[in-house]
């Protein structure tokens, strides 16, 4: 199993470029598909991220919530990094449904990923009013009221354009999350150990992009939420027919 070791450094993100003339993804058989596996780990001394105060519904949400911008597991594995294989014109069918929950006054999971126009919903599991406000490139693409516990809203039609969607709850200014929308089903979000796997990949040479919301402070938004410098790196990887390639990333 060939292994590629990359060092991912924080740098100024210039935006998520999406080519206007990108052809539509096509579902097709993938004989002898390969797989991409690996991990994202944190190198060096991890920064201290202060808890975030809760200003509303403290009887349900508590006095404060943990800052989940950088969550490290065993061996400093980084949870919530998104791995994207770019430039795959056709291949496997997208499976499953993305559900972004409002649970314990946090977005759960904090970082989600979905293929453009694949099934996606937001849900409220709390006994208080929430709203899920999705923002892409500075523009609101959905703003779903979740007035009661158990309410579910379908946002599939709102996630047609690839990119990084910031999700806020306007009712609770401590809440924030992310949805990364990709142009194919070839993506993964790292688990609590910082591990990932993407399978059923047609053989070929691809760009692999790693995105993380960041941990280097940039200030606060208009509601006082901490804002961090996003991290992003793109690298070319060759996937042989029917084989597995391991790629380990280090965030620092």
């Amino acid at each position: 199993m060939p292994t590629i070791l990359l060092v991912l450094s924080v740098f100024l993100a210039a935006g998520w470029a999406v080519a206007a003339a990108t052809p539509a993804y096509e579902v097709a058989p993938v004989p002898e598909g390969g797989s991409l596996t690996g991990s994202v780990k944190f190198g060096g001394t991890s920064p201290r991220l202060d808890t975030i105060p809760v200003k509303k519904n403290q009887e349900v949400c508590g006095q404060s919530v943990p800052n989940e911008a950088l969550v490290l597991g065993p061996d400093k594995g980084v949870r919530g990094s998104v791995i994207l294989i770019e430039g795959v014109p056709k291949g496997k069918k997208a499976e499953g449904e993305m559900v972004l929950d409002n649970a314990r006054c946090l977005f759960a999971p904090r970082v989600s990923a979905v293929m453009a126009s694949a099934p996606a919903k937001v849900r409220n599991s709390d006994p208080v009013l929430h709203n899920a406000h999705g923002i892409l490139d500075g523009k609101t693409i959905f703003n779903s009221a979740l007035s009661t516990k158990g309410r579910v809203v379908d946002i599939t039609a709102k996630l047609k354009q690839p990119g990084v969607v910031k999700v806020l709850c306007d009712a609770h200014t401590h809440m924030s999350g992310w949805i990364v929308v990709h142009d194919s089903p070839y993506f993964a979000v790292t688990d609590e150990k910082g591990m990932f796997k993407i399978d059923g990949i047609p053989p070929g040479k691809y760009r692999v992009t790693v995105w993380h919301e960041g941990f280097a402070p940039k200030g606060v938004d208009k509601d006082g939420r901490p804002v961090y410098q996003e991290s992003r790196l793109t690298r070319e990887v060759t996937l042989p027919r029917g084989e597995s390639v391991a790629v380990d990333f280090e965030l620092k």
Side-chain angles (χ1 to χ4, degrees), residues 82-85 92 94-95 112-116 180 182-189 197-198:
V82 183
I83 315 299
L84 305 170
I85 302 179
K92 67 181 182 179
E95 297 180 351
S112 302
V114 67
M115 180 178 171
V180 178
H182 196 36
D183 58 7
S184 81
Y186 292 103
F187 60 82
V189 182
K197 181 178 182 179
I198 306 172

Side-chain angles (χ1 to χ4, degrees), residues 20-104:
T22 301
Y25 177 78
E26 178 184 346
V27 175
V30 186
E32 299 186 83
S35 63
L36 185 71
T37 64
S39 66
V40 178
K41 294 186 177 182
F42 191 85
T45 303
S46 58
R48 178 184 174 183
L49 302 181
D50 294 333
T51 58
I52 303 174
V54 173
K55 300 177 182 179
K56 186 177 181 180
N57 297 124
Q58 293 180 339
E59 70 283 0
V60 174
C61 305
Q63 300 294 315
S64 64
V65 297
N67 188 328
E68 296 184 318
L70 179 67
V71 179
L72 303 183
D75 299 321
K76 292 190 175 181
V78 182
R79 189 183 79 184
S81 298
V82 183
I83 315 299
L84 305 170
I85 302 179
E86 301 189 59
V88 185
K90 59 183 179 180
K92 67 181 182 179
K93 181 180 179 181
E95 297 180 351
E97 176 181 73
M98 188 208 77
V99 178
L100 178 61
D101 202 359
N102 292 251
R104 298 186 179 90

